[in-house]
Amino acid sequence: MESDSGNCCANLRNGEVCCQKTKVSKEIVPKVFPDKIYKSVQVKGVDVTGMTCECGVFGAIACGDYPTQLDIAQMICLGLVALQHRGQESAGIVTSLGKCSKNFSVHKGMGMINNLFNDEAIRKLKGNLGIGHTRYSTAAASEVVNCQPFVVHTAHGALAIAHNGELVNCESLRREVLERGVGLSTHSDSELIAQSLCCAPEDVSEHDGPNWPARIRHFMTLAPLSYSLVVMHKDKIYAVRDSYGNRPLCLGKIVPVDAGHANIDDQVAEGWVVSSESCGFLSIGARYVREVEPGEIIELSRNGYRTVDIVERPDYKRMAFCIFEYVYFARSDSMFEGQMVYSARLQCGRQLARESPLDADLVSSVPESGTAAAHGYARESGMPFGEVLCKNRYVGRTFIQPSNRLRQLGVAKKFGALAQNVEGKRIVLVDDSIVRGNTIGPIIKLLRDAGASEVHIRIASPPLQYPCYMGINIPTREELIANKLNADQLADHVGADSLAYLSVEGLVKAVQMNKSHVNPLKAGYCTACLTGEYPGGLPEELSW
């Protein structure tokens, strides 16, 4: 853990070199990805394939006169708690008083939000605006050196950046930054973004000070995806989403405590927030306004917010919002595309029942991410829903434990069977996805040991077959069970009476069912982990 005032970097005219350091060995190990070789690095003796992380970003700024009466640091902390499901390895908050561009207050470190930010830490984070980050990464990159937000010092003052995603073309961007004489001290995409923004584009005049929107736009033209960013400089926050809209980002309005459910447009803005998901807005007295549009750069200040630029993607390219946000990652009370994630998952269950009907006694779920889809399956099929598994809420999600061995060991202590609901029953068990296939077999055995006569598995998403290079930890094709066994083979392997997946077409249809608008020009999903069709192509080979 570290806590400082942000004075950790040397000031340089064209950029800066952070004092944060990492040890990367000279050994470069090739890894076979589809149709090409993608290189990985050895970090302290552990193999890392790029920066595969699923993170959450949050920013808040007060309106009106400063100092504000809002506790910005506490708001950001609570916002990050609501995003804890997106990353549980490290977190950080950076705040600014909005008056001086030289120093920020910084507190970040390894661990969960509630363990990192006690009353003393929050008191030290004085400010009228700030940004925060919660992170999940590969095991080897799980170090303090890679904790965000990154703070760098430029000739124009301190700059803080928090990033969700992964740069597909990090190699070319790295070369571009290094050729300008800027040193890089970590293998983090986020530091690369920070250093890129510190370099003014050659065609931009900055006689009156730095033009941050122009710098951000220049970066966006160099890096098409994948990222959602919050960038803070002195008294402003910039919310940035890549032009494909691959990673989520939304805007909220802080309203008076007694606002209730009144029309948001009629409420006075006490401040503004931006977040990877909207699920934490109500808990801090904010209301959801809208999503940051693909390619949009929004500037937040004490006077409100405004769109300062929009970077368009090529005409022949469609939006590529990560469909796995609907399937697994997002919290069910978050809003995407004008609909609640819960309703999309409910529709996935309905569509699954249409595609793979079954005669059974009871529909249930693997809690908790499979529950909404199970309710949808039950409603569409006309079968009753009932709980058959009791979850130990003090055990982490098995998808984000670092090794197969821990995943397998974690299953036995994660669930218990509700024997009276199970005995003698034919059960349809709905789950959101199967990744490595380690957890479902022990669950089926648990239900059979409790007396279930039949256990049929229904998966509310298509089989995962390809790795993700845009910020999700699905590292290699070899680890994905769907590349080894088809549905019937997998059913035999895990001990199920039958197993069926939702189709790709069915998934896309389900998530569009309740959308507030379906504009073909503003619609589209990244299904690369399901189909192998990557919106930005495969990542470049790394030379570092």
Side-chain angles (χ1 to χ4, degrees):
M1 183 187 301
E2 64 181 19
S3 182
D4 56 56
S5 61
N7 292 318
C8 62
C9 310
N11 292 326
L12 293 177
R13 188 67 184 174
N14 293 322
E16 63 294 324
V17 180
C18 284
C19 66
Q20 304 172 76
K21 298 179 180 178
T22 188
K23 297 180 180 178
V24 180
S25 80
K26 296 180 180 179
E27 182 180 5
I28 303 295
V29 183
K31 274 190 175 289
V32 179
F33 278 3
D35 303 320
K36 71 174 292 176
I37 295 291
Y38 185 79
K39 293 180 180 178
S40 65
V41 295
Q42 292 283 332
V43 182
K44 293 189 175 180
V46 184
D47 189 50
V48 187
T49 306
M51 286 285 293
T52 52
C53 58
E54 171 67 13
C55 308
V57 299
F58 197 91
I61 186 168
C63 290
D65 296 331
Y66 291 168
T68 180
Q69 298 302 307
L70 299 177
D71 192 334
I72 291 294
Q74 186 68 46
M75 280 188 168
I76 297 171
C77 184
L78 291 174
L80 292 179
V81 168
L83 298 177
Q84 186 77 84
H85 58 283
R86 300 185 69 87
Q88 302 171 6
E89 290 185 357
S90 65
I93 294 176
V94 179
T95 59
S96 169
L97 292 172
K99 299 177 180 179
C100 176
S101 63
K102 293 183 179 180
N103 298 319
F104 291 154
S105 297
V106 182
H107 187 85
K108 56 184 180 178
M110 306 301 296
M112 304 282 277
I113 309 294
N114 289 333
N115 295 330
L116 283 171
F117 295 98
N118 54 26
D119 290 341
E120 181 181 359
I122 293 296
R123 278 197 299 270
K124 291 180 179 179
L125 290 168
K126 298 183 184 301
N128 298 301
L129 64 156
I131 64 174
H133 187 270
T134 183
R135 182 171 187 264
Y136 165 63
S137 71
T138 57
S142 179
E143 301 170 339
V144 173
V145 66
N146 291 316
C147 293
Q148 295 186 48
F150 266 92
V151 177
V152 293
H153 287 256
T154 75
H156 307 288
L159 187 75
I161 294 178
H163 166 227
N164 169 214
E166 183 176 1
L167 299 181
V168 173
N169 68 329
C170 64
E171 172 67 359
S172 61
L173 188 62
R174 176 175 288 269
R175 284 197 302 267
E176 196 267 348
V177 169
L178 292 174
E179 285 171 1
R180 294 193 180 205
V182 178
L184 296 170
S185 57
T186 76
H187 58 278
S188 166
D189 284 358
S190 305
E191 187 202 12
L192 186 58
I193 295 169
Q195 300 287 13
S196 179
L197 293 181
C198 292
C199 303
E202 295 179 358
D203 59 344
V204 174
S205 174
E206 296 191 336
H207 297 300
D208 298 325
N211 186 337
W212 293 112
R215 293 186 182 207
I216 293 170
R217 180 184 178 84
H218 177 67
F219 160 75
M220 295 174 73
T221 60
L222 296 175
L225 49 71
S226 158
Y227 49 85
S228 285
L229 307 173
V230 284
V231 182
M232 182 173 69
H233 180 263
K234 190 181 177 181
D235 59 352
K236 291 183 176 65
I237 294 174
Y238 295 96
V240 184
R241 193 177 179 197
D242 73 57
S243 57
Y244 288 79
N246 184 251
R247 302 258 64 85
L249 195 63
C250 63
L251 183 71
K253 182 179 185 179
I254 303 173
V255 297
V257 176
D258 58 357
H261 193 59
N263 189 325
I264 188 172
D265 294 332
D266 298 333
Q267 299 299 316
V268 176
E270 295 187 346
W272 297 91
V273 290
V274 62
S275 176
S276 294
E277 296 181 39
S278 61
C279 54
F281 285 176
L282 288 177
S283 65
I284 60 170
R287 301 292 184 269
Y288 174 82
V289 175
R290 67 174 178 88
E291 290 181 284
V292 178
E293 295 293 333
E296 187 177 17
I297 305 171
I298 292 180
E299 180 186 88
L300 295 92
S301 69
R302 69 169 69 185
N303 299 316
Y305 79 91
R306 65 188 182 102
T307 299
V308 294
D309 208 344
I310 295 179
V311 179
E312 301 287 350
R313 62 184 175 274
D315 292 339
Y316 61 91
K317 292 286 190 178
R318 297 185 64 189
M319 181 178 171
F321 179 56
C322 174
I323 206 163
F324 218 59
E325 292 283 353
Y326 279 119
V327 172
Y328 182 86
F329 285 107
R331 216 171 80 174
S332 59
D333 55 336
S334 289
M335 295 285 291
F336 294 146
E337 303 180 303
Q339 65 178 329
M340 193 164 285
V341 171
Y342 180 90
S343 68
R345 290 175 180 165
L346 195 76
Q347 291 298 337
C348 287
R350 285 186 176 274
Q351 182 65 25
L352 182 60
R354 297 184 198 110
E355 293 183 4
S356 301
L358 198 64
D359 183 24
D361 301 312
L362 190 68
V363 178
S364 193
S365 68
V366 178
E368 295 166 341
S369 52
T371 302
H375 277 290
Y377 193 101
R379 293 179 190 182
E380 186 67 25
S381 65
M383 291 186 286
F385 173 88
E387 294 185 12
V388 298
L389 293 170
C390 178
K391 184 177 181 180
N392 181 350
R393 302 181 189 280
Y394 300 97
V395 178
R397 299 167 86 182
T398 55
F399 183 73
I400 41 183
Q401 290 177 347
S403 71
N404 274 339
R405 181 174 180 275
L406 287 181
R407 289 187 191 94
Q408 291 167 333
L409 290 174
V411 174
K413 62 184 180 182
K414 189 173 183 179
F415 295 108
L418 300 175
Q420 289 185 337
N421 293 357
V422 169
E423 189 171 2
K425 299 287 180 64
R426 298 170 299 165
I427 296 170
V428 180
L429 190 67
V430 180
D431 201 0
D432 58 358
S433 58
I434 293 181
V435 183
R436 298 171 180 88
N438 291 325
T439 62
I440 197 68
I443 289 173
I444 293 169
K445 183 179 184 302
L446 189 68
L447 294 176
R448 291 199 187 279
D449 289 345
S453 61
E454 295 178 13
V455 180
H456 300 270
I457 302 300
R458 293 294 181 268
I459 305 301
S461 65
L464 279 164
Q465 295 181 290
Y466 299 90
C468 176
Y469 309 130
M470 289 164 284
I472 306 296
N473 186 36
I474 308 174
T476 65
R477 294 196 68 181
E478 290 76 17
E479 289 186 85
L480 301 174
I481 194 68
N483 289 320
K484 301 176 183 177
L485 305 171
N486 62 30
D488 292 338
Q489 292 169 334
L490 183 55
D492 291 338
H493 178 70
V494 299
D497 290 280
S498 71
L499 186 147
Y501 295 96
L502 182 62
S503 67
V504 175
E505 297 76 17
L507 175 59
V508 173
K509 180 179 179 180
V511 301
Q512 291 183 329
M513 195 76 69
N514 295 324
K515 283 178 62 173
S516 58
H517 58 82
V518 183
N519 184 338
L521 299 177
K522 293 187 176 182
Y525 300 97
C526 176
T527 59
C529 58
L530 311 173
T531 63
E533 298 173 3
Y534 296 90
L538 289 168
E540 301 170 320
E541 294 183 21
L542 301 181
S543 63
W544 49 280

